[in-house]
Amino acid sequence: NGTLIDPATELPFENAAEVGPNADGSFDVDSVVDFDDDGALSGHFEREALFPGLLLGGNNEFASEGWFLLDLPAGYHRFGVNSDDGFEVSVGTPFQGEFTAQTVLGFYDGGRAADDTVFDFLVQESGVYRFRLVFFEIGGGASCEFYSVNLGTGERILINDVIAPGSIRSYRSMETVLPSDFSSVIIRVA
């Protein structure tokens, strides 16, 4: 949006990302977060898709933001992000309109080859919670997977995976929170 300044030129960085079809320029992703900038296999899963709004390969110095409405039971949870490069996952209060005060649950701030960061948290009351995942790419390869971990088996399960039993559901809006409806996540790329 013209606010990130290139220190070499003192001009705003060019936003080379494609604008999404939603009114705010975002994309609706009707699957999982398992992205790679060249579609190659990376991380733990084999369902890589290109980051929405970017061309195949060679994408450096970009960021993506995903918004999730996650239906979580009360109890102890373990989530993880496998990323190349950095990320931050935060959560707001139970769904009641706009995204409110957020708590950072997990992050990695730097460059790295695809690697995991796992984090644990406690949900005191069952409900639908707003989550936000911000991913950034510095240089080289770019990939991001967002998953939960089965505490009994250690199995990683992509968020919103319609194939895997025990997957945490993600919804686009409260109107889609139906027992048999997997919806999606909203992704913005810049």
Side-chain angles (χ1 to χ4, degrees):
N1 65 4
T3 61
L4 296 177
I5 305 300
D6 183 344
T9 65
E10 297 185 8
L11 298 171
F13 280 106
E14 176 188 353
N15 184 357
E18 176 186 333
V19 176
N22 295 337
D24 63 359
S26 65
F27 296 83
D28 294 332
V29 175
D30 292 320
S31 61
V32 297
V33 172
D34 186 4
F35 298 129
D36 193 283
D37 75 332
D38 63 7
L41 296 180
S42 58
H44 304 288
F45 304 95
E46 297 182 357
R47 297 172 61 184
E48 277 73 9
L50 297 177
F51 283 91
L54 298 179
L55 298 175
L56 176 64
N59 298 291
N60 290 312
E61 299 173 341
F62 72 90
S64 296
E65 172 186 58
W67 291 88
F68 307 78
L69 292 174
L70 299 184
D71 191 0
L72 298 174
Y76 189 70
H77 294 270
R78 179 169 291 147
F79 279 13
V81 173
N82 183 286
S83 65
D84 174 358
D85 292 306
F87 79 93
E88 179 182 283
V89 172
S90 55
V91 63
T93 56
F95 184 80
Q96 297 172 357
E98 294 299 313
F99 190 69
T100 55
Q102 48 187 331
T103 300
V104 174
L105 298 176
F107 71 95
Y108 182 82
D109 187 12
R112 65 180 178 181
D115 201 2
D116 291 296
T117 300
V118 295
F119 44 94
D120 300 341
F121 59 97
L122 176 67
V123 173
Q124 293 182 341
E125 182 179 328
S126 296
V128 177
Y129 292 82
R130 283 187 182 254
F131 277 69
R132 179 178 181 233
L133 167 63
V134 176
F135 166 81
F136 68 86
E137 160 61 11
I138 298 171
S143 62
C144 184
E145 297 174 334
F146 185 35
Y147 58 88
S148 64
V149 178
N150 180 308
L151 294 172
T153 66
E155 176 188 13
R156 296 174 184 93
I157 306 166
L158 286 168
I159 300 295
N160 212 41
D161 186 340
V162 297
I163 298 168
S167 176
I168 302 288
R169 295 176 185 227
S170 174
Y171 301 96
R172 184 179 303 135
S173 70
M174 287 304 290
E175 289 79 36
T176 61
V177 179
L178 302 171
S180 63
D181 178 40
F182 275 84
S183 188
S184 71
V185 57
I186 297 171
I187 302 286
R188 294 175 182 85
V189 181

